Amino acid sequence: GYIIVERWGGLLARSVQTFVTIWSEVSKGQIVGRILLGSHASITLPQHVIISAKVGDHVIAGETIIAYL
């Protein structure tokens, strides 16, 4: 299934960087972007995945496991 990542810049410092393009295939652990200074992201996953992260968790790109496909 597809994984959708939506990112929003903060009100003061719109600090969102994207390292992939729309419809890109990504590898396990690949960094797809960078979010700083009050910005945030939402991730939409297929129903069959097992989610390991909780709402409000601080995640680190390439280190934190968010879900198991």
Side-chain angles (χ1 to χ4, degrees), residues 8-16 36-40:
W8 292 274
L11 294 174
L12 298 176
R14 303 224 178 262
S15 52
V16 174
L36 299 167
L37 301 172
S39 300
H40 68 277

Side-chain angles (χ1 to χ4, degrees), residues 17-20 26-35 60-63:
Q17 296 176 328
T18 304
F19 306 139
V20 295
V26 295
S27 302
K28 177 173 60 172
Q30 180 178 341
I31 297 172
V32 296
R34 186 172 141 143
I35 300 169
I60 299 171
E63 293 183 22

Side-chain angles (χ1 to χ4, degrees), residues 34-41 43 52-66:
R34 186 172 141 143
I35 300 169
L36 299 167
L37 301 172
S39 300
H40 68 277
I43 302 171
S52 58
K54 306 285 185 276
V55 173
D57 280 359
H58 180 82
V59 298
I60 299 171
E63 293 183 22
T64 306
I65 297 172
I66 295 172

